[in-house]
Amino acid sequence: NTPKWLWRGWSEHYGEEACRAIAAAHQHEAALDLSVKDGAPAWATRLGGRVLPTGSVRLENAGAVPRLDGFDAGAWWVQDAAAALPAKLLGEVRGKHVIDLCAAPGGKTAQLAVAGARVTAIDRSPERLVRLQANLKRLGLEAETIAADAASWRPSQPADAVLLDAPCSATGTIRRHPDIPHLKSPRDVSDAAKTQGVLLDAALSMVKPGGMLVYTVCSLQPEEGEAQIEAVLTKGAPVRRRAVAAAEIGGLKELVSPAGDLRTLPCHIPELGGLDGFYAGRLERL
């Protein structure tokens, strides 16, 4: 079920055994994960789900999302458990100004707003930004929203933190979108990597000294993840890597790469239903 170019790349980067586990995980439908504003255990009980070690509520056979208890009240939003981790890597953000780049549909914006940050959400698509605004309205949350290209937009002054969820090949979401392996090609990955490099440089310029940047993609391709952070460090940008601790992500040490970055795979925590494939690197601006 895996095109040769993907199999070759995953085998080289993760090893043959992990590659086979990823391909096997793609044969199973992903569960529905929720990020809850507060009281995750109580909502898990009400909805017949369970709380994952990372704090997300996972539901099996949930049915139509708008009909679930708590939807109209804005108590939660749909967000894969892996997708909920990068925003947590910014640490305590209450009262801080955080820029969320490529923000739509707004799951990470909502996380930051719930955590008490002053959020500026940037997305180049006005249509997608309307969806983000609608989601925030349902949740009763507020954020400044700006339709702009993150590659050229700049804030009036550097922010305390920046979260860049860069556009990518989305190979980490194949469980949810099984057409991706047949629609994407190596050219799509290389094109995305070029755009990601531009966006990452732009994001670094938006962070004040001592501030934090988290770069993330829902891709399994190292060119879009690990290689982007390594390129920034190699060229001598005024940053240093801040390694991720297992305690920040529910104690799941298998989600921390040897370099200290976040790397989730579809075959991780199989006993709980797996995760989407995500990468996140954290940099401190010097």
Side-chain angles (χ1 to χ4, degrees):
N1 64 335
T2 307
K4 291 182 179 179
W5 69 274
L6 284 175
W7 188 278
R8 183 170 56 251
W10 297 345
S11 294
E12 292 175 355
H13 188 68
Y14 301 111
E16 182 77 9
E17 183 179 354
C19 177
R20 289 185 176 277
I22 291 169
H26 288 161
Q27 298 182 74
H28 302 282
E29 185 177 356
L32 180 73
D33 292 342
L34 308 178
S35 289
V36 180
K37 289 166 71 174
D38 58 66
W43 278 107
T45 299
R46 290 174 67 171
L47 296 170
R50 57 184 170 187
V51 181
L52 298 180
T54 58
S56 294
V57 172
R58 173 157 291 181
L59 308 180
E60 303 286 349
N61 305 314
V65 170
R67 297 179 182 176
L68 294 177
D69 187 14
F71 178 83
D72 291 334
W76 47 259
W77 62 95
V78 176
Q79 186 178 34
D80 183 80
L85 295 177
K88 296 181 179 182
L89 301 184
L90 290 175
E92 177 56 61
V93 294
R94 182 167 301 279
K96 295 182 178 180
H97 179 212
V98 181
I99 299 174
D100 185 7
L101 298 175
C102 310
K108 296 175 182 63
T109 299
Q111 281 183 275
L112 296 168
V114 167
R118 295 181 291 109
V119 187
T120 300
I122 308 295
D123 200 278
R124 68 182 300 176
S125 169
E127 293 79 14
R128 284 171 56 82
L129 209 57
V130 168
R131 182 182 173 192
L132 180 150
Q133 292 164 341
N135 287 335
L136 291 179
K137 182 178 181 180
R138 179 181 67 84
L139 296 169
L141 301 173
E142 294 185 357
E144 179 185 18
T145 58
I146 300 175
D149 187 340
S152 55
W153 178 85
R154 296 293 184 274
S156 57
Q157 57 185 357
D160 297 300
V162 172
L163 176 61
L164 169 58
D165 187 357
C168 68
S169 63
T171 54
T173 66
I174 292 174
R175 297 183 309 155
R176 303 178 189 280
H177 306 286
D179 53 339
I180 284 177
H182 310 288
L183 295 177
K184 301 294 184 178
S185 70
R187 177 64 180 272
D188 293 310
V189 174
S190 61
D191 287 347
K194 293 176 184 177
T195 300
Q196 291 153 3
V198 172
L199 291 172
L200 188 48
D201 286 341
L204 286 171
S205 71
M206 302 180 196
V207 186
K208 71 180 186 181
M212 210 68 67
L213 166 70
V214 169
Y215 167 82
T216 185
V217 286
C218 57
S219 170
L220 294 171
Q221 313 314 116
E223 305 96 315
E224 300 182 84
E226 293 87 340
Q228 294 294 333
I229 294 298
E230 292 300 334
V232 168
L233 295 171
T234 299
K235 67 185 179 183
V239 296
R240 62 182 172 190
R241 176 185 263 126
R242 285 287 299 275
V244 177
E248 298 179 87
I249 52 175
L252 301 176
K253 60 182 180 181
E254 65 268 33
L255 308 187
V256 181
S257 75
D261 302 331
L262 173 73
R263 168 51 83 185
T264 67
L265 301 176
C267 56
H268 279 149
I269 59 170
E271 71 282 2
L272 297 175
L275 293 167
D276 280 356
F278 259 81
Y279 169 83
R282 180 169 57 187
L283 300 173
E284 180 182 0
R285 179 66 187 266
L286 303 178

